[in-house]
Amino acid sequence: MAKILVVANRTAECDELQQALKERANRGDAEFTLVVPSAHGLAKAAGADAGIPEAQRHVDLAVEKLRGAGIEVEGRLGDPDPVAAVADAANSDSYDEVIVSTLPTHLSKWLHLDLPRKAAHATGLPVTHVVGSEVK
């Protein structure tokens, strides 16, 4: 069974990510681990713990939605820095590939950081980039 690391934040519950995970699961047995960085944006600026409730909400809602769609997924919080969250997850477990879900280019801070490329570099794994929409 393939183990896939999924990194998302504001797109964790979006339909585009759910569809991408379904398509990946249809290609062969897969289990997914969703990591959501624990703070971002204004919450991160306010202090490291300020973003935890919001990030945990993304984890909980995404896991519920994905499991409801028949996708085997575990969710957890990661480091506030998305690159560090990817590296930490990859160092704590063995994965076969990474899926990075971001907002569209004009809205995504992660794309300005070049997270998909940095995730590939940090893990040595193939990375799939999913462009999603924010679910409010």
Side-chain angles (χ1 to χ4, degrees), residues 19-136:
Q19 184 61 36
L21 298 188
K22 277 184 175 181
E23 288 171 7
R24 175 56 190 88
N26 288 337
R27 290 195 322 249
D29 287 341
E31 61 182 36
F32 301 94
T33 299
L34 170 66
V35 174
V36 174
S38 60
H40 70 278
L42 295 175
K44 184 175 178 181
D49 292 340
I52 290 175
E54 180 182 357
Q56 188 63 55
R57 181 179 64 81
H58 285 301
V59 170
D60 295 343
L61 291 173
V63 166
E64 180 181 342
K65 178 179 181 174
L66 294 168
R67 286 182 179 164
I71 298 168
E72 184 177 335
V73 63
E74 170 195 331
R76 63 180 182 218
L77 294 177
D79 190 276
D81 177 331
V83 178
V86 169
D88 289 350
N91 288 331
S92 69
D93 207 341
S94 177
Y95 294 97
D96 299 298
E97 58 190 274
V98 179
I99 296 174
V100 174
S101 179
T102 70
L103 292 168
T105 303
H106 65 286
L107 296 173
S108 177
K109 289 182 173 75
W110 286 7
L111 287 179
H112 292 287
L113 293 172
D114 200 10
L115 183 59
R117 186 188 62 76
K118 288 181 179 178
H121 184 270
T123 63
L125 298 171
V127 174
T128 301
H129 176 221
V130 175
V131 176
S133 54
E134 184 171 13
V135 177
K136 295 187 180 199

